[in-house]
Each structure stands twice: as C-alpha cells, then as structure tokens.
Amino acid sequence: MFFAYTNMGFIAAVAALVTTARFNSAQPTAGQNYEMDAIASCFIGGASAYGGTGTVSGAVIGAVFMGVLNNGMSILGVDMNWQRAVKGLVLLAAVIFDVVSKKKKAVK
C-alpha cells in the first residue's frame, strides 16, 4: 500500500512538471475540468459502474480516445461549451452501455 501511494505521488509530481512546462507557468487552475476526462477515460476503457472490472490498458485506450476527441474538437474550432457537452454525452453513452450490458448478463 505504501508503494502504491508513493508511486502515485511521484506520477502526480511528474504530471505537474509536464503541465507547468507545457503552459510555461504554474497556475492553480491549470488542471481544472480534467477530472471529467479521467472518469470518461476509465468508463470508455471498460471500467464498470458496479465495480470489479477494468484494466490499465483499457483506461489507456480510453485516455487516447478522449485525447483524440479533445484535440479534434479543438482543431475544428468547436466552442468550449459544446466540447464539454460532447464529452458529457460520450461519458453518458459509456455508462449506459455498461449498465445495459450488465443487465443483459444478469438476465441470462
């Protein structure tokens, strides 16, 4: 357990350094609204709303999908409010898919 917390602290520090280097400044709001992307990545990658399933590789695939979605909408010049709405709809679709597939497995 100690190694897991130490590892996550180190990874969070590296992420903070990369974000600071990317923006050329340290702002307290630099990571705002990234939590929705992280949750959506996990659900898209196969994590269940009921717990017990999900893999690291699935979460990475979900993160790549969310990154492509974010980058694509930014390149196309989609308004930030619409980007959030689209990401919310993608998250909602992933959760609905998970719930429906779990119900079908429970019925069989």
Side-chain angles (χ1 to χ4, degrees):
M1 191 64 99
F2 177 76
F3 177 72
Y5 280 112
T6 305
N7 191 25
M8 289 307 300
F10 176 73
I11 291 171
V14 170
L17 289 173
V18 168
T19 303
T20 303
R22 182 174 178 221
F23 293 137
N24 276 339
S25 67
Q27 300 174 357
T29 60
Q32 201 169 18
N33 294 325
Y34 283 173
E35 61 275 358
M36 183 172 172
D37 289 347
I39 293 168
S41 298
C42 290
F43 277 115
I44 291 169
S48 176
Y50 297 113
T53 59
T55 61
V56 173
S57 60
V60 169
I61 291 170
V64 168
F65 177 78
M66 286 302 292
V68 168
L69 186 67
N70 285 333
N71 196 22
M73 287 191 294
S74 293
I75 289 172
L76 290 174
V78 177
D79 183 45
M80 195 65 184
N81 294 323
W82 282 107
Q83 287 184 23
R84 289 186 186 138
V86 168
K87 288 190 280 188
L89 289 173
V90 168
L91 175 59
L92 185 65
V95 171
I96 289 172
F97 178 77
D98 176 57
V99 170
V100 169
S101 66
K102 294 291 181 193
K103 281 188 179 183
K104 286 185 180 180
K105 286 182 181 179
V107 172
K108 289 184 180 182

